C-alpha cells in the first residue's frame, strides 16, 4: 500500500487536535503514515507528530509562519510529486476547506470533503459523509486515480496515546518564491460581550426554529424562569437576534454547562461540537429525526411555541412550591 | 467592478423531516419547499452592496432546470443585471468538481473582477465549489469569507475569513478572484415590488454544456470526483428519552426532571 500523507494543522503556536486524530486514524488504514509539517520554528510540533507517525516531513521556513493557501498548495504539490503518496488527509477545517479543492484540481486527485468515516479498498478510500445538515449519511464511490485527498471532520478518528517514534526529516522548502496575490494581514479576535456563556451553568440554546425576532421573548422567558443565560445557533446570530458572543459551535464558543436546553435547534454537527460536553442536554424540536435527539438526554418532539410557554408555567409552579 | 454571483436552488430541510426515496440515492422532495441556498443569499447581497458603493455590473449564474429561474429572478430583483442559467442533462449527478467545471465554463466568457459563491451548500455541503472554481479559472481565492473591503476597485481587496472559534483571518487578495461567502456577512435585503416587476421582464440566457465548450464525459456524474452510492439514515448514539404526551404533559414531565436533577 502507498504512503498516507497527513497535513499537520497549527495556528498561533498551537497544533490542532484533528492532526493527531488523523495520524491515529491513518495508522489504522494501513500503509506508512507520513506527517507533513509546514511552519516556522515549530520543532515541538514535529516532535509531537513523530509520536504518532512513521515519518515526519518538516519544512521550516518563515514563509509558513501563517497559513497561506497559495504557498501551502505549492509546497504540498511539490512534496506529493516527489514522494508519491496514495492518500492525503487534511482536517475539514477553515484551513483544509480553503486548500484541498485547489490542490485536488491541480493534481487531478479526487477529493471528498467533510468525511465522517472511511474504509480502504486497496489504495482507494470509500468515504462516508453527511448530507442535508447531518440528516443523512452518504456513502460515496470515488473515481479511480493514483492519488486521493480527503478532508476529515474532527472527532472522526480517536486520538490515542503516542506509540511511534517516526524519523523527522527536515526538508528544504520546495517553494522558491513568495506569492504576492494573496497575503496574510492579521488575526482579529471575536468581540467580547456582557455574558461569557462558557462560564454559564445553565444555558437555553435557541435555534432557527424560533423563526422571527419577535418570537425571542418566548425563549427569554424560559431562560429567566430557569435562571439560565441564552445561547444560540449560527442561524440566530446571523439573523442578528442575538450577538455573536452567544454563538455555540465550531465558529463560536464551546460550552459545558450543567444544563443545555436546546430549543428549535436541529443539531447540525457544527453546533453540536460546541455543546456536546454539557452534563444534561434537553431538546425541544418538531422534527423527530433532528440530529439533536441523538445526543440529547431528554427530548420533546413538538412545536416549541406550544411547549415552551407551558414549560415556563410548570417551572414557575415548581419554583413557587 | 464586474461581479459574478453563483446561486443554487436547494430544498429547505433545516426544519423538515428528510426521507430517502426508493432509489436510495435521492430524497423525497415532494413535501419540501425550495429556495436560494443560504450562503448564496448572502453572496448576492454582498455583490449588490459593492455595486451600489462602487458601481458596476452583477451577473447571476445558476446551474439547474427551469425551476431555478425563481432564485435567479429574485437575485435580479434585488439588483442583479444579467443572468445565465446552465442547463443540460449531462450536468446531472455532478459533485462540487463537476459544478465548478460548469461554472468555470460560464465565467470564462465574462469580464469579471470578483466571482462570489456561497461557501457551502445546504444540500451536499461539500464546501469545495469556490476553491475548485478559482483553481479552474487560474485566479486566487478565499473561502469562509465574512468581511470584504475593496481596497482598489478591480485590483485589490481585503477579506476576512472566519476561522474556528470566531477568530478572523484577514488577508489581501488580488483581483480577479473567487470569494466563498459565509452566512452572517451582511443583512440580505428583501426584493422590492418594483424590482420584482422589472426582474420578471429580464432575459435569462440558457446555456448547454456544448455552448460552454464542455465535453459531456467531463461533467456531471462522469466528471465528478465521487458519486453517491447510497444514502442511509445517520448512525446516532443513544437516542434521547422522548417525553410523550400533549404540551401540558411533556412540559410537566420535563419540569419535574429538571427539578429532580437540581437544575431549577
Amino acid at each position: 500500500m502507498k504512503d498516507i500523507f497527513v497535513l499537520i494543522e497549527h495556528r498561533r503556536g498551537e497544533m490542532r487536535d484533528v492532526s493527531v486524530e488523523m495520524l491515529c486514524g491513518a495508522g489504522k488504514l494501513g500503509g506508512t503514515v507520513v506527517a507533513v509539517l509546514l511552519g516556522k520554528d515549530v520543532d515541538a510540533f514535529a516532535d509531537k507528530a513523530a509520536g504518532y507517525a512513521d515519518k515526519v516531513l518538516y519544512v521550516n521556513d518563515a514563509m509558513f509562519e501563517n497559513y497561506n493557501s497559495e504557498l501551502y498548495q505549492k509546497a504540498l504539490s511539490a512534496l506529493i510529486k516527489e514522494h508519491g503518496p496514495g492518500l492525503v488527509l487534511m482536517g475539514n477545517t477553515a484551513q483544509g476547506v480553503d486548500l484541498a479543492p485547489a490542490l485536488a484540481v491541480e493534481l487531478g486527485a479526487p477529493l471528498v470533503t467533510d468525511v465522517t468515516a472511511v474504509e480502504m479498498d486497496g489504495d482507494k478510500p470509500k468515504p462516508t459523509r453527511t448530507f442535508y445538515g447531518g440528516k443523512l449519511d452518504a456513502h460515496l464511490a470515488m473515481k479511480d486515480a493514483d492519488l486521493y485527498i480527503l478532508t476529515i471532520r474532527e472527532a472522526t478518528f480517536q486520538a490515542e496515546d503516542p506509540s511511534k517514534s517516526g524519523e523527522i526529516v527536515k526538508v528544504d522548502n520546495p517553494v522558491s518564491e513568495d506569492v504576492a496575490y494573496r497575503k496574510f494581514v492579521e488575526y482579529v479576535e471575536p468581540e467580547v460581550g456582557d455574558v461569557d456563556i462558557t462560564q454559564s451553568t445553565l444555558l437555553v440554546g435557541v435555534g432557527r426554529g424560533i423563526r422571527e425576532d419577535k418570537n425571542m421573548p418566548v425563549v427569554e422567558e424560559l431562560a429567566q424562569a430557569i435562571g439560565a443565560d441564552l445561547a444560540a445557533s449560527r442561524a440566530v446570530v446571523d439573523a442578528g437576534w442575538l450577538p455573536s458572543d452567544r454563538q455555540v459551535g465550531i465558529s463560536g464558543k464551546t460550552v459545558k454547562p450543567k444544563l443545555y436546553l436546546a430549543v428549535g435547534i436541529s443539531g447540525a454537527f457544527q453546533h453540536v461540537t460546541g455543546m456536546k460536553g454539557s452534563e444534561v442536554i434537553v431538546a425541544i424540536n418538531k422534527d423527530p429525526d433532528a440530529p439533536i435527539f441523538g445526543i440529547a438526554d431528554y427530548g420533546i418532539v413538538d412545536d416549541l411555541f406550544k411547549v415552551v410557554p407551558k414549560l415556563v408555567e410548570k417551572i414557575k409552579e415548581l419554583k413557587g412550591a | 467592478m464586474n461581479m459574478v454571483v453563483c446561486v443554487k436552488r436547494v430544498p429547505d430541510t433545516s426544519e423538515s423531516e428528510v426521507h430517502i426515496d426508493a432509489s436510495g440515492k435521492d430524497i423525497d422532495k415532494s413535501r419540501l419547499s425550495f429556495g436560494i441556498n443560504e450562503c448564496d443569499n448572502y453572496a448576492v447581497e454582498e455583490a449588490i452592496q459593492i455595486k451600489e458603493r462602487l458601481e458596476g455590473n452583477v451577473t447571476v449564474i445558476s446551474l439547474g432546470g427551469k425551476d431555478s429561474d425563481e432564485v435567479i429572478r429574485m437575485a435580479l430583483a434585488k439588483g442583479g443585471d444579467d443572468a445565465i442559467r446552465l442547463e443540460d442533462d449531462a450536468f446531472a449527478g455532478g459533485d462540487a468538481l463537476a459544478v465548478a467545471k460548469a461554472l468555470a465554463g460560464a465565467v470564462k466568457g465574462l469580464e469579471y473582477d470578483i466571482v462570489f459563491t456561497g461557501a457551502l451548500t445546504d444540500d451536499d455541503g461539500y464546501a469545495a465549489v469556490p476553491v475548485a472554481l478559482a483553481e479552474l479559472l487560474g485566479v486566487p481565492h478565499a473561502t469562509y469569507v465574512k468581511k470584504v473591503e475593496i481596497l482598489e476597485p478591480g485590483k485589490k481587496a481585503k477579506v476576512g475569513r472566519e476561522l474556528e472559534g470566531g477568530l478572523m483571518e484577514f488577508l489581501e487578495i488580488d483581483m480577479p478572484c473567487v470569494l466563498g461567502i459565509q452566512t452572517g456577512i451582511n443583512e440580505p435585503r428583501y426584493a422590492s415590488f418594483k424590482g420584482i416587476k422589472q426582474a420578471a421582464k429580464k432575459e435569462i440566457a440558457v446555456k448547454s454544456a456544448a455552448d460552454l465548450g464542455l465535453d459531456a464525459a467531463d461533467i456531471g456524474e462522469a466528471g465528478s470526483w465521487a458519486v453517491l452510492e447510497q444514502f442511509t439514515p445517520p448512525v446516532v448514539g443513544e437516542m434521547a428519552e422522548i417525553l410523550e404526551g400533549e404540551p401540558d404533559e411533556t412540559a410537566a414531565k420535563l419540569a419535574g426532571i429538571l427539578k429532580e436533577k437540581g437544575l431549577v
Side-chain angles (χ1 to χ4, degrees):
Chain A
M1 196 181 154
K2 292 195 216 170
D3 293 356
I4 302 177
F5 268 22
V6 174
L7 179 64
I8 303 302
E9 185 171 333
H10 58 93
R11 182 188 302 143
R12 300 204 296 179
E14 273 186 49
M15 183 164 140
R16 300 184 60 81
D17 295 345
V18 70
S19 304
V20 169
E21 293 168 10
M22 287 189 293
L23 290 170
C24 294
K28 295 199 167 62
L29 297 177
T32 300
V33 178
V34 181
V36 179
L37 174 63
L38 310 175
K40 179 183 173 259
D41 300 335
V42 284
D43 299 26
F45 301 157
D47 292 342
K48 185 173 179 184
Y52 303 91
D54 301 303
K55 188 157 100 177
V56 180
L57 296 179
Y58 173 27
V59 183
N60 185 7
D61 195 300
M63 201 181 266
F64 302 114
E65 182 167 12
N66 292 299
Y67 163 78
N68 179 327
S69 66
E70 307 280 353
L71 296 170
Y72 262 64
Q73 184 181 338
K74 285 184 179 202
L76 282 174
S77 169
L79 291 172
I80 288 166
K81 282 174 190 157
E82 189 188 337
H83 296 269
L87 175 62
V88 176
L89 305 182
M90 297 182 202
N92 192 72
T93 56
Q95 177 180 309
V97 169
D98 192 60
L99 172 63
L103 185 67
V105 168
E106 180 196 339
L107 298 175
L111 162 71
V112 172
T113 56
D114 202 10
V115 170
T116 56
V118 62
E119 287 174 28
M120 296 303 286
D121 178 8
D123 274 320
K124 184 173 176 174
K126 285 173 67 75
T128 299
R129 66 192 302 288
T130 69
F131 273 42
Y132 299 106
K135 291 194 176 182
L136 292 179
D137 276 354
H139 305 274
L140 301 170
M142 297 184 80
K143 288 293 161 65
D144 288 328
D146 295 326
L147 170 70
Y148 299 93
I149 305 178
L150 303 177
T151 66
I152 306 290
R153 180 180 283 192
E154 64 179 81
T156 291
F157 299 123
Q158 209 97 51
E160 290 163 9
D161 291 333
S163 61
K164 295 183 180 178
S165 51
E167 183 195 358
I168 298 173
V169 182
K170 290 192 175 172
V171 183
D172 287 340
N173 185 2
V175 186
S176 51
E177 293 182 77
D178 208 336
V179 296
Y181 42 89
R182 174 167 162 159
K183 285 245 180 248
F184 173 82
V185 179
E186 62 176 341
Y187 290 117
V188 174
E189 298 285 346
E191 282 172 35
V192 180
D194 54 339
V195 174
D196 180 1
I197 56 170
T198 65
Q199 301 300 315
S200 304
T201 49
L202 305 170
L203 283 173
V204 170
V206 52
R208 196 184 293 271
I210 198 74
R211 293 186 177 280
E212 288 183 74
D213 199 7
K214 69 175 172 61
N215 295 330
M216 287 298 287
V218 174
V219 283
E220 285 163 9
E221 279 168 33
L222 176 60
Q224 202 173 16
I226 298 175
D229 293 318
L230 275 179
S233 72
R234 175 169 202 119
V236 168
V237 172
D238 283 345
W241 303 336
L242 278 174
S244 61
D245 60 298
R246 302 294 183 109
Q247 188 175 325
V248 169
I250 290 180
S251 331
K253 303 261 171 67
T254 299
V255 296
K256 291 178 181 175
K258 284 197 162 77
L259 170 68
Y260 192 91
L261 208 174
V263 180
I265 289 176
S266 71
F269 163 77
Q270 288 80 356
H271 182 76
V272 165
T273 298
M275 47 65 79
K276 65 185 174 191
S278 306
E279 277 179 38
V280 177
I281 299 172
V282 179
I284 301 173
N285 199 294
K286 65 177 185 182
D287 173 7
D289 296 327
I292 192 77
F293 292 120
I295 62 137
D297 301 293
Y298 302 96
I300 296 176
V301 180
D302 210 333
D303 182 347
L304 75 91
F305 296 107
K306 290 181 183 153
V307 175
V308 172
K310 293 282 179 198
L311 184 58
V312 171
E313 263 177 45
K314 302 290 175 190
I315 288 168
K316 281 183 177 164
E317 279 172 28
L318 282 178
K319 281 196 158 180
Chain B
M1 289 270 294
N2 291 309
M3 290 167 284
V4 177
V5 57
C6 306
V7 299
K8 184 178 185 183
R9 176 180 181 266
V10 294
D12 180 0
T13 56
S14 59
E15 287 187 79
S16 311
E17 294 179 44
V18 175
H19 299 288
I20 303 165
D21 76 2
S23 75
K25 294 186 176 195
D26 207 344
I27 59 168
D28 177 5
K29 292 171 179 155
S30 59
R31 291 166 69 187
L32 296 172
S33 62
F34 284 76
I36 188 169
N37 180 57
E38 196 176 13
C39 289
D40 302 355
N41 196 32
Y42 289 88
V44 168
E45 179 65 29
E46 197 62 23
I48 291 169
Q49 286 190 11
I50 291 171
K51 175 187 152 178
E52 287 170 346
R53 283 199 301 272
L54 301 169
E55 296 190 339
N57 188 78
V58 175
T59 303
V60 182
I61 301 183
S62 187
L63 190 162
K66 191 142 184 45
D67 294 345
S68 296
D69 281 354
E70 126 201 43
V71 298
I72 293 173
R73 288 205 191 282
M74 197 50 76
L76 292 173
K78 291 178 178 186
D81 299 283
D82 315 297
I84 305 170
R85 183 162 57 78
L86 311 178
E87 182 178 13
D88 202 307
D89 291 344
F91 290 138
D95 68 358
L97 174 64
V99 171
K101 286 180 193 168
L103 294 174
V107 171
K108 272 174 185 161
L110 304 170
E111 294 264 327
Y112 66 94
D113 298 304
I114 303 178
V115 179
F116 292 98
T117 74
L120 77 169
T121 50
D122 303 333
D123 48 8
D124 61 43
Y126 279 112
V129 166
V131 181
L133 174 60
E135 184 70 18
L136 290 166
L137 293 170
V139 301
H141 71 267
T143 192
Y144 287 176
V145 170
K146 222 179 154 182
K147 178 95 186 154
V148 178
E149 184 190 340
I150 305 298
L151 299 177
E152 266 185 273
K155 295 247 186 323
K156 202 179 273 289
K158 183 176 169 185
V159 304
R161 299 178 61 233
E162 183 185 63
L163 310 181
E164 290 77 13
L167 186 70
M168 292 279 280
E169 174 198 324
F170 282 90
L171 52 98
E172 282 184 11
I173 192 164
D174 284 358
M175 296 178 212
C177 63
V178 179
L179 302 180
I181 299 295
Q182 181 57 287
T183 58
I185 186 175
N186 52 39
E187 285 180 46
R189 73 192 67 193
Y190 291 96
S192 67
F193 182 66
K194 189 177 156 211
I196 292 169
K197 274 185 77 174
Q198 285 172 342
K201 288 185 224 138
K202 283 197 174 154
E203 192 202 345
I204 298 173
V206 179
K207 295 198 175 178
S208 68
D211 293 337
L212 303 174
L214 296 168
D215 184 346
D218 201 33
I219 52 172
E221 194 170 302
S224 291
W225 281 320
V227 296
L228 182 66
E229 281 201 318
Q230 77 175 119
F231 279 134
T232 55
V235 182
V236 290
E238 202 179 329
M239 275 292 284
E241 180 188 326
I242 301 295
L243 311 176
E244 309 278 353
E246 292 301 310
D248 211 34
E249 300 162 80
T250 54
K253 285 178 190 171
L254 179 54
I257 290 166
L258 297 180
K259 171 98 178 171
E260 189 187 315
K261 291 190 173 287
L263 296 166
V264 295

